[in-house]
């Protein structure tokens, strides 16, 4: 019965044929929906067009970082920073809003990462951004690495593993500098997104009129 739906599948596009069939089934239902998508979706413009016609109005996308060295360090081979702007432009062509996810605190990040991230968000014209601190969860390789290097901060409770706190010693800054830098970038971008809001509302007035809570 809900008119607005959010798909929480991290990997829906792993099977393109399945995704295309899903959009075909969704289209007659006249729903609006948001979903998580990889940056590689831009390689298939026909799919983007089909998901838009089926009611997609918003995507959450893991751009991960503004630092190409950090992509290499983390082994994120499918992301290419030079393609980000084109990817967002393709989604905007079909009136799809884009929320980007970006992390800071990689060993390859210096103190300029905060300004670089803000600059990238503006350059590629994201509609919203969630900025996070790299968080080494227990059981992951990066947790084991930081532990072996003596870089895990002792006494950090579970609530500190929510991406807003530094639970390790960054390589090129202090934990507080990392936390303050991310929060400063969030504040700067909040003003930027607020200034863009009237234009975004005007571009999507029809469905906002139908769904004012959006």
């Amino acid at each position: 019965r809900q008119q607005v739906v959010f798909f929480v599948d991290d990997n829906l596009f792993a099977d393109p044929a399945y995704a295309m069939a899903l959009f075909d089934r969704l289209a007659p239902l006249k729903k609006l929906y948001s979903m998580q998508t990889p940056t590689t979706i831009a390689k298939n413009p026909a799919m983007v067009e089909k998901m838009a016609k089926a009611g997609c109005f918003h995507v959450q996308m893991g751009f991960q970082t503004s630092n190409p060295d950090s992509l290499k360090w983390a082994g994120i081979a499918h992301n290419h920073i030079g393609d980000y702007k084109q990817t967002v432009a393709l989604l905007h062509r079909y009136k799809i809003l884009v929320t980007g996810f970006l992390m800071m605190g990689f060993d390859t990040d210096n103190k300029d990462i905060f300004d670089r991230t803000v600059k990238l968000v503006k350059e590629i014209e994201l509609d919203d951004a969630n900025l996070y601190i790299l968080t080494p969860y227990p059981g992951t390789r990066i947790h084991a690495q930081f532990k072996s290097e003596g870089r895990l901060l002792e006494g950090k409770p579970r609530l500190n593993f929510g991406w807003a706190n530094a639970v390790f010693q960054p390589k090129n800054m202090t934990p507080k500098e990392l936390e303050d830098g991310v929060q400063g970038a969030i504040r700067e971008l909040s003003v930027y997104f607020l200034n863009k809001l009237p234009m975004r509302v005007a571009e999507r007035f029809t469905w906002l009129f139908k769904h004012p809570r959006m």
Side-chain angles (χ1 to χ4, degrees), residues 89-159:
L90 174 63
L91 291 158
H92 281 171
R93 191 183 310 160
Y94 294 102
K95 296 294 188 285
I96 297 175
L97 297 164
V98 184
T99 294
F101 289 74
L102 296 120
M103 289 184 287
M104 286 161 272
F106 294 98
D107 279 3
T108 40
D109 288 342
N110 295 308
K111 294 179 185 178
D112 67 348
I113 189 62
F114 313 113
D115 289 339
R116 287 178 64 169
T117 300
V118 169
K119 182 179 179 182
L120 177 76
V121 168
K122 294 179 179 179
E123 283 182 350
I124 67 177
E125 299 187 53
L126 288 180
D127 303 295
D128 193 14
N130 291 334
L131 308 184
Y132 298 121
I133 291 174
L134 179 69
T135 303
Y137 289 108
T140 61
R141 283 184 295 175
I142 194 171
H143 184 275
Q145 175 188 333
F146 286 174
K147 185 176 182 178
S148 69
E149 295 171 353
R151 294 170 58 190
L152 294 178
L153 301 182
E154 299 297 330
K156 290 289 184 178
R158 290 175 63 91
L159 289 177

Side-chain angles (χ1 to χ4, degrees), residues 1-203:
R1 292 175 296 177
Q2 292 169 285
Q3 190 62 31
V4 182
V5 181
F6 175 52
F7 289 94
V8 198
D9 190 332
D10 281 331
N11 207 18
L12 190 144
F13 294 90
D15 183 345
Y18 171 83
M20 295 288 263
L22 174 66
F23 300 142
D24 285 337
R25 294 290 297 274
L26 279 171
L29 302 179
K30 305 298 182 183
K31 305 284 187 182
L32 288 175
Y33 64 92
S34 171
M35 63 196 315
Q36 300 180 72
T37 60
T39 57
T40 52
I41 194 173
K43 295 180 180 179
N44 193 339
M47 180 178 289
V48 175
E49 181 180 11
K50 180 166 283 197
M51 60 190 263
K53 289 182 177 179
C56 182
F57 73 95
H58 172 250
V59 298
Q60 297 184 348
M61 186 168 283
F63 295 97
Q64 309 304 356
T65 177
S66 61
N67 184 353
D69 292 332
S70 295
L71 289 175
K72 294 177 184 177
W73 185 84
I76 306 172
H78 62 277
N79 277 11
H80 303 281
I81 293 174
D83 297 336
Y84 287 176
K85 187 175 179 63
Q86 181 180 353
T87 299
V88 176
L90 174 63
L91 291 158
H92 281 171
R93 191 183 310 160
Y94 294 102
K95 296 294 188 285
I96 297 175
L97 297 164
V98 184
T99 294
F101 289 74
L102 296 120
M103 289 184 287
M104 286 161 272
F106 294 98
D107 279 3
T108 40
D109 288 342
N110 295 308
K111 294 179 185 178
D112 67 348
I113 189 62
F114 313 113
D115 289 339
R116 287 178 64 169
T117 300
V118 169
K119 182 179 179 182
L120 177 76
V121 168
K122 294 179 179 179
E123 283 182 350
I124 67 177
E125 299 187 53
L126 288 180
D127 303 295
D128 193 14
N130 291 334
L131 308 184
Y132 298 121
I133 291 174
L134 179 69
T135 303
Y137 289 108
T140 61
R141 283 184 295 175
I142 194 171
H143 184 275
Q145 175 188 333
F146 286 174
K147 185 176 182 178
S148 69
E149 295 171 353
R151 294 170 58 190
L152 294 178
L153 301 182
E154 299 297 330
K156 290 289 184 178
R158 290 175 63 91
L159 289 177
N160 285 122
F161 283 76
W163 305 345
N165 301 101
V167 297
F168 70 101
Q169 172 59 57
K171 191 171 184 178
N172 299 310
M173 64 191 85
T174 67
K176 188 175 189 306
E177 286 173 333
L178 177 55
E179 292 176 349
D180 290 348
V182 171
Q183 290 303 315
I186 290 172
R187 287 193 296 270
E188 182 174 348
L189 287 174
S190 294
V191 175
Y192 168 72
F193 291 131
L194 189 62
N195 290 336
K196 288 182 65 175
L197 186 59
M199 180 178 66
R200 290 293 180 248
V201 170
E203 290 173 346

